[in-house]
Amino acid sequence: MHPVIRLLATLIVLLSSVAHAGQGREYVNSYFELWLKAHNFTKFEKKPNGLFFPAQGVLLDGEIHEAKEFSSSKLYSVESRVSITFKDGRRLDDFVAGIGSSAEDAFKDSLQNFCLTTLHPIYAELFDHSDSHVRKDAWEINGTRRRIFLSEWGQRGVSINEATQKQIEQLIAAELRNTSPTKELQWAKLVVLIVKGKVEQVAFTVNGMQDERITRRLSAFKWPVSGEFTMAKSFFVIGGV
């Protein structure tokens, strides 16, 4: 059975019943296999539980976490769980949502969301420091210049303009200057939710753990609050030394 047909069959089952984890893993792996080959990268092995990168000891895997059909608007939403397990046992878990006029489009949108906002900086640090698809910088952290690979901002609703994005990134860089991260690769994520002019959520995490000090600093920032709805996500990687 073709992977796309198998995907559609899986989504039909999910949308007609209670969604549960463990569905669609094969299609997620196939999607990332094609994404890596589009980057001319083939140094990985296909395993039953994901894509394994032997030189780095890294495993990439994922699945459908939840799927919904909104009959009133003829829209579908799919949330995928994607994980990266590093050689030292640390694990990056990301839940990414997608929407579309079909179940397949919603699923692909969720994976494209992950590639845009999470996978590209990880790929650049692990496999290709010269990757042209990410933004590069160098920040001084605890007296050491560290490589920084930044994703493009993932946004829904009213967008936060580039000038404000740059201000936020500079603020984070300043807040990280006197921190003491370990020498291994670190990953950080900022999520912001603004509804009807009110900032409902600001969360800044490092390696999956919320940094309360930086979250408070970002919460105090004067966010643009025009429009009905803004959701923004920024992800970056601090390179290893």
Side-chain angles (χ1 to χ4, degrees):
M1 183 183 293
H2 191 279
V4 172
I5 302 300
R6 185 180 296 107
L7 166 68
L8 291 174
T10 298
L11 290 175
I12 289 170
V13 170
L14 281 168
L15 291 168
S16 61
S17 62
V18 178
H20 59 278
Q23 304 272 352
R25 175 171 288 172
E26 181 180 351
Y27 191 80
V28 173
N29 293 343
S30 296
Y31 183 94
F32 289 131
E33 180 182 5
L34 292 174
W35 187 89
L36 289 163
K37 288 181 177 178
H39 285 70
N40 298 312
F41 188 86
T42 58
K43 297 177 182 178
F44 60 88
E45 302 172 0
K46 292 186 69 173
K47 301 285 188 180
N49 59 338
L51 303 181
F52 182 65
F53 305 87
Q56 293 78 20
V58 170
L59 178 72
L60 170 65
D61 72 286
E63 62 194 11
I64 298 172
H65 180 68
E66 185 178 51
K68 294 180 180 178
E69 180 181 10
F70 301 98
S71 56
S72 59
S73 56
K74 296 183 179 179
L75 280 176
Y76 295 83
S77 74
V78 173
E79 185 179 40
S80 300
R81 188 275 302 164
V82 185
S83 300
I84 300 173
T85 305
F86 296 96
K87 187 176 182 179
D88 59 11
R90 293 182 303 156
R91 180 179 170 105
L92 183 161
D93 291 306
D94 205 3
F95 290 86
V96 285
I99 58 174
S101 57
S102 69
E104 182 185 357
D105 286 345
F107 189 39
K108 287 182 177 178
D109 186 48
S110 72
L111 296 182
Q112 289 168 353
N113 180 4
F114 177 77
C115 290
L116 171 70
T117 62
T118 304
L119 186 56
H120 254 134
I122 293 286
Y123 173 86
E125 168 60 20
L126 289 178
F127 309 122
D128 184 5
H129 291 174
S130 64
D131 182 32
S132 61
H133 298 94
V134 294
R135 295 179 295 127
K136 307 173 185 67
D137 207 339
W139 295 352
E140 182 176 323
I141 302 176
N142 194 28
T144 301
R145 297 284 284 179
R146 299 286 291 264
R147 289 186 304 273
I148 304 294
F149 295 105
L150 301 108
S151 73
E152 298 300 328
W153 283 55
Q155 304 198 65
R156 304 277 190 188
V158 179
S159 297
I160 296 172
N161 62 53
E162 290 187 12
T164 302
Q165 293 175 23
K166 188 64 176 177
Q167 282 183 283
I168 292 296
E169 290 169 359
Q170 291 173 342
L171 187 157
I172 293 172
E175 292 296 319
L176 288 173
R177 183 181 296 272
N178 296 319
T179 60
S180 303
T182 62
K183 294 182 178 181
E184 293 79 19
L185 174 157
Q186 313 286 311
W187 65 90
K189 179 169 68 173
L190 168 65
V191 176
V192 182
L193 175 63
I194 303 170
V195 180
K196 293 184 178 179
K198 181 180 179 182
V199 179
E200 296 285 352
Q201 178 187 11
V202 177
F204 181 77
T205 59
V206 178
N207 298 344
M209 301 295 292
Q210 182 152 314
D211 186 307
E212 298 292 349
R213 182 182 62 82
I214 297 181
T215 293
R216 287 195 298 271
R217 181 69 180 87
L218 290 167
S219 297
F221 180 80
K222 187 174 177 58
W223 292 92
V225 292
S226 61
E228 288 292 303
F229 172 82
T230 294
M231 174 172 271
K233 171 185 172 183
S234 175
F235 180 92
F236 65 89
V237 168
I238 301 172
V241 295

